Amino acid sequence: GAGVSQSPSNKVTEKGKDVELRCDPISGHTALYWYRQRLGQGLEFLIYFQGNSAPDKSGLPSDRFSAERTGESVSTLTIQRTQQEDSAVYLCASSQQRYNEQFFGPGTRLTVL
Amino acid sequence: DQQVKQNSPSLSVQEGRISILNCDYTNSMFDYFLWYKKYPAEGPTFLISISSIKDKNEDGRFTVFLNKSAKHLSLHIVPSQPGDSAVYFCAARAFQGAQKLVFGQGTRLTINP
């Protein structure tokens, strides 16, 4: 079956521009997570969705970061006025229920010049 | 504050021998631990997990050991195979509260023929 997909796979942008990253979770998975991985670091939690609501946004680094999820499926992570420190691989994961194993997508590599 | 630590950034093991990857944590609220494997340009793949009520879980060549008193877990791979060469992440989750996984920095395992 289809796994978690993310687009684009790579994004290069200029400092100050806005970017939108997309995640398509596994069909039927109600929980969706966004993480990011900076170079040489572990994965850093950003936000968690249960259905279309986001009960935990504690990992969003600043108000330039926002995310939404519609129809209990697709999610978009938006970064406004990108900064060089936003450069990272952004990973999306989904799970069938709240405490189940998380399945990860391949990630979007964001480079801010 | 690094709640999950993998102190060895890299490990090199000969094919056929045992690989032991270590992970330490500080948060006593963590009650579920997971190991993920990551190849370049791919998302992390779930490998094995252990609940805090157990001290060992085995799946084929992979065994995870948990020492709660020491707040330490380890992943044993035996026998090691060239395809095991990847970055391994330890992750932890607290049952109460957030659904997020807290990841270590990862250990790059290289299996030499």
Side-chain angles (χ1 to χ4, degrees), chain A residues 8-34:
Chain A
S9 54
N10 279 286
K11 176 73 177 177
V12 179
T13 190
E14 292 179 351
K15 178 181 170 182
K17 295 284 178 77
D18 298 352
V19 295
E20 228 178 55
L21 312 180
R22 177 186 168 109
C23 171
D24 284 86
I26 294 172
S27 177
H29 280 196
T30 58
L32 185 147
Y33 312 79
W34 283 97

Side-chain angles (χ1 to χ4, degrees), chain A residues 44-48 54-62, chain B residues 97-100:
Chain A
E44 176 189 3
F45 169 79
L46 297 178
I47 186 169
Y48 154 66
D56 189 350
K57 306 179 183 180
S58 63
L60 294 179
S62 74
Chain B
Q99 315 311 313
K100 64 185 179 183

Side-chain angles (χ1 to χ4, degrees), chain A residues 33 35 37 41-43 45 48 56 58 98-99 101-102 104-106, chain B residues 36 38 41-44 46 89 93 95 98-101 103-105:
Chain A
Y33 312 79
Y35 295 85
Q37 184 184 15
Q41 306 288 317
L43 279 71
F45 169 79
Y48 154 66
D56 189 350
S58 63
R98 297 173 80 188
Y99 301 112
E101 169 201 337
Q102 297 180 22
F104 282 83
Chain B
Y36 280 82
K38 187 179 185 303
E42 294 184 13
F46 170 75
F89 289 98
R93 189 182 64 206
F95 184 84
Q99 315 311 313
K100 64 185 179 183
L101 293 178
F103 283 83
Q105 309 95 306

